[in-house]
Amino acid sequence: MIRAATLADIPALVSLEQRCFATDRLSARSFRHLLTRGHASLFVFDMQAELQGYVLVLFHQNTSMARLYSLAVAPEGRGKGTGAALIAACEQDALEHGVVSMRLEVHINNAGAIDLYHRLGYRDFDVFPDYYEDHAAALRMEKPLAPNLAPDLSPVPYYGQTLEFTCGPASLMMAMKSLHPQLELSRRLELRIWREATSIFMTSGHGGCSPYGLALSAFHRGLHAELFAPCDAVMFIDSVRNEEKREVIRIVQEDFLQEIHRLGVPMHERHLSLPEMEQQFRRGAIPVVLISAYRLTGDKSPHWVVVSGFDRRFIYIHEPYVDTAEGQSETTCFGIPVAHKEFERMRFYGSRRQYATLLLSKGEP
């Protein structure tokens, strides 16, 4: 039986460590800390009141990645599926914590463990030299924890923005590529779309992209673009204090709106509900959504993401901004699971609760 570990399990956990590992053992003090104050989950495999194995996962606060820190199976319990069962339990628990991917380190000479991880879907991505007490290297491995997180299964390909202010073009490009797989994604295209859709100014730096400008960029490339956004408020103007810059933002938005009305781009002055969004997604449309970045990154800025999947608990989004300084990779920004209620809160930006969703689908042949 697999269950969550308790403080009463500590003596058996320490005994298991001594039987399974010659070096780098966890102490009773470490187990006590992890069970009481550590940001971790610890599951044990209990067979007739005797611990046959455990798995320990560490969660990284404010990131969507977890670390499978340790897996131990008693010698007499090996070859019976115990390790695989423990890993499945910790992966499910991590997914329920909103984790995007699981990473781990394994002794470079532990062929049995490496083979198990490979069979369970983990892939090598790095080697860490002189990692263990015996100076052996560690093989670093990673696995996405849901089908929507796997690049080869997601209906939406990934493209990371290359500049701080190009989340809109990057999100639009991912949606465009999903609808037209032959499209080549490049930095040239990213910058071209930014020039077409920018609001010129925003906060203290370059402007991001207006929902109206992004809708026009998609329309001019032959896609059916349907926009859900207000017309009576100037988007992003509250982020700029200088009145001259504010006037520029007003003029740009007015120009975008005039072109939208002239071309007949469908526009609805209302918030698109999540049930409607999911229904349209399942019909083949790809939603590009404006969110408040604060709930995702802690930054109080408007931010564009693309929706890549739905299930009963989560909406999956591709986050175009890869913060390499925080150890992120495309894997950690691909198909981030966001609980339905949390995603609904994300979809309103600023004190005026501004919103925008751009639904893209294939245009008429």
Side-chain angles (χ1 to χ4, degrees):
M1 178 185 70
I2 295 176
R3 59 173 175 80
T6 69
L7 291 174
D9 294 316
I10 291 178
L13 288 166
V14 172
S15 174
L16 195 60
E17 282 284 287
Q18 293 172 346
R19 296 173 64 197
C20 293
F21 304 115
T23 60
D24 299 272
R25 294 169 176 159
L26 289 169
S27 65
R29 182 178 180 181
S30 295
F31 279 119
R32 182 174 296 277
H33 173 80
L34 290 164
L35 287 169
T36 56
R37 294 187 297 278
H39 195 47
S41 69
L42 181 57
F43 290 94
V44 296
F45 191 96
D46 195 345
M47 180 68 71
Q48 297 178 347
E50 183 178 345
L51 290 192
Q52 292 290 301
Y54 81 82
V55 63
L56 170 63
V57 171
L58 305 181
F59 297 105
H60 297 272
Q61 194 167 5
N62 298 324
T63 75
S64 53
M65 184 168 55
R67 182 183 178 197
L68 199 165
Y69 185 77
S70 184
L71 172 71
V73 177
E76 64 273 17
R78 295 172 188 171
K80 301 176 181 178
T82 302
L86 283 165
I87 291 172
C90 78
E91 289 176 349
Q92 182 61 38
D93 179 71
L95 183 59
E96 291 173 1
H97 279 80
V99 165
V100 170
S101 64
M102 186 80 80
R103 286 186 174 182
L104 61 87
E105 292 84 28
V106 59
H107 198 291
I108 197 75
N109 296 325
N110 192 342
I114 292 171
D115 179 64
L116 172 64
Y117 293 134
H118 281 159
R119 285 189 282 110
L120 295 179
Y122 287 82
R123 295 294 176 263
D124 311 348
F125 73 92
D126 196 11
V127 175
F128 202 118
D130 197 17
Y131 183 81
Y132 292 100
E133 288 181 4
D134 64 358
H135 303 292
L139 179 63
R140 304 190 72 190
M141 308 178 82
E142 187 172 40
K143 176 185 176 180
L145 296 185
N148 289 293
L149 310 183
D152 56 342
L153 298 178
S154 172
V156 182
Y158 187 82
Y159 179 85
Q161 67 189 81
T162 64
L163 294 166
E164 290 186 0
F165 47 86
T166 55
C167 57
S171 296
L172 185 67
M173 290 162 63
M174 288 187 269
M176 291 165 56
K177 178 76 170 178
S178 175
L179 297 167
H180 293 299
Q182 74 277 10
L183 177 69
E184 182 179 348
L185 302 185
S186 66
R187 199 176 195 196
R188 183 186 295 270
L189 178 59
E190 178 186 357
L191 294 174
R192 183 178 297 150
I193 293 174
W194 177 78
R195 295 199 312 270
E196 297 169 358
T198 182
S199 61
I200 310 296
F201 295 115
M202 188 182 294
T203 59
S204 60
H206 294 86
C209 283
S210 158
Y212 318 106
L214 289 174
L216 289 167
S217 291
F219 177 86
H220 287 308
R221 288 171 172 80
L223 293 170
H224 178 77
E226 190 170 1
L227 183 60
F228 295 78
C231 288
D232 58 352
V234 181
M235 299 292 287
F236 312 143
I237 199 167
D238 291 342
S239 68
V240 177
R241 295 183 179 180
N242 181 282
E243 187 54 42
E244 184 177 358
K245 293 181 178 180
R246 290 163 69 94
E247 180 62 18
V248 169
I249 294 174
R250 290 189 191 97
I251 293 171
V252 170
Q253 178 164 314
E254 289 172 4
D255 186 54
F256 282 147
L257 285 171
Q258 286 178 9
E259 188 174 1
I260 281 174
H261 294 315
R262 180 177 63 83
L263 295 172
V265 177
M267 183 167 174
H268 311 276
E269 293 187 64
R270 67 176 179 86
H271 190 55
L272 180 67
S273 70
L274 284 183
E276 287 179 283
M277 185 186 295
E278 181 174 1
Q279 184 181 57
Q280 291 297 323
F281 180 84
R282 298 197 184 284
R283 290 176 178 173
I286 306 298
V288 178
V289 183
L290 181 72
I291 66 167
S292 169
Y294 183 76
R295 292 187 175 275
L296 195 63
T297 64
D299 181 21
K300 296 182 179 179
S301 300
H303 188 59
W304 290 100
V305 298
V306 62
V307 173
S308 61
F310 288 82
D311 65 23
R312 181 176 55 85
R313 292 173 299 171
F314 299 118
I315 290 95
Y316 295 85
I317 61 173
H318 289 358
E319 155 64 283
Y321 179 64
V322 182
D323 190 352
T324 54
E326 292 295 325
Q328 292 182 348
S329 66
E330 287 191 2
T331 303
T332 62
C333 296
F334 189 104
I336 298 174
V338 182
H340 286 224
K341 288 184 179 179
E342 180 64 20
F343 186 68
E344 192 60 78
R345 287 191 287 264
M346 282 183 178
R347 294 177 63 205
F348 292 95
Y349 166 72
S351 59
R352 299 193 190 190
R353 291 176 61 78
Q354 295 185 324
Y355 62 88
T357 298
L358 178 60
L359 277 181
L360 296 182
S361 54
K362 292 182 179 180
E364 296 297 326

